[in-house]
Amino acid sequence: MPNGESSISVAESSIPDGEPSMSAGESPRPGRRRWLSVVGASIVGATFVGCLGGGGPSYESGSIPAVNGSNRTAQQQVAATASATTSTASGVSPVESLSLVEHSFVYEGGYQGSTVQGTVKNTGASQAQLVEVRTRVYDESGAQLGQYMARTGDLAGGDSWAFTVIILENPAVLDRYEITVLGVPG
């Protein structure tokens, strides 16, 4: 061997368990450890997706009519942004006793502008500690533009709550919305 190099055959080399040897021109195949990591990641991913999709909330659709409304002024936009709820509450989930009685898109003057308003009823006997209405808004192409919430606490069994969800988008770009109600039982 030139320059002091030694020759080691594939059979003599250290090959990790479960990984076959390769001959020249052969592409590497994943070994047992790689295969187990791929299978494990797939199982974890499927479980995570199952948790999100299986028992998630069911959304109702609502239409948004053409509105003769203008953009908010800069001052109104600041007030609307301060009043709009854009983060979801933790710990809420679908609660059988909470139902959307009615909902519709309403254009309000002033800082409120685009809103979805309606009523939630607690049809159960027990109080709900927290109630959250989630509204997703879409443009004409079907792209989701935002998600907005309204929430209240301590809705007694048999009581109703009139909600207003403030939407920050200009009404001219809105086409439809989806809405659901979630809560924390009492």
Side-chain angles (χ1 to χ4, degrees):
M1 298 261 120
N3 298 331
E5 293 178 12
S6 63
S7 169
I8 299 178
S9 71
V10 172
E12 297 171 338
S13 68
S14 169
I15 299 173
D17 289 341
E19 294 188 22
S21 62
M22 297 185 315
S23 60
E26 204 177 338
S27 65
R29 294 186 322 192
R32 188 172 80 205
R33 288 183 187 140
R34 172 102 171 123
W35 182 82
L36 287 172
S37 69
V38 169
V39 169
S42 299
I43 291 169
V44 168
T47 302
F48 182 68
V49 168
C51 289
L52 292 177
S58 172
Y59 282 80
E60 295 180 19
S61 293
S63 62
I64 298 177
V67 173
N68 187 13
S70 60
N71 286 334
R72 293 177 178 103
T73 65
Q75 189 175 20
Q76 290 172 336
Q77 188 65 31
V78 168
T81 301
S83 299
T85 303
T86 57
S87 62
T88 58
S90 62
V92 295
S93 62
V95 175
E96 195 172 312
S97 64
L98 297 175
S99 64
L100 284 165
V101 176
E102 52 91 23
H103 56 86
S104 62
F105 179 85
V106 177
Y107 183 79
E108 296 282 354
Y111 80 94
Q112 282 190 322
S114 300
T115 67
V116 173
Q117 299 179 24
T119 306
V120 170
K121 182 166 179 84
N122 181 351
T123 61
S126 299
Q127 174 176 301
Q129 290 180 22
L130 179 68
V131 180
E132 179 175 85
V133 171
R134 291 185 184 173
T135 306
R136 303 184 295 205
V137 292
Y138 299 87
D139 67 11
E140 194 173 270
S141 73
Q144 183 176 330
L145 302 174
Q147 177 172 270
Y148 302 96
M149 278 60 64
R151 62 179 71 101
T152 191
D154 300 328
L155 185 61
D159 283 356
S160 296
W161 165 53
F163 65 86
T164 299
V165 177
I166 296 176
I167 298 168
L168 297 177
E169 278 75 26
N170 182 326
V173 301
L174 300 173
D175 182 61
R176 66 183 181 87
Y177 67 92
E178 294 178 337
I179 189 167
T180 192
V181 61
L182 305 167
V184 176

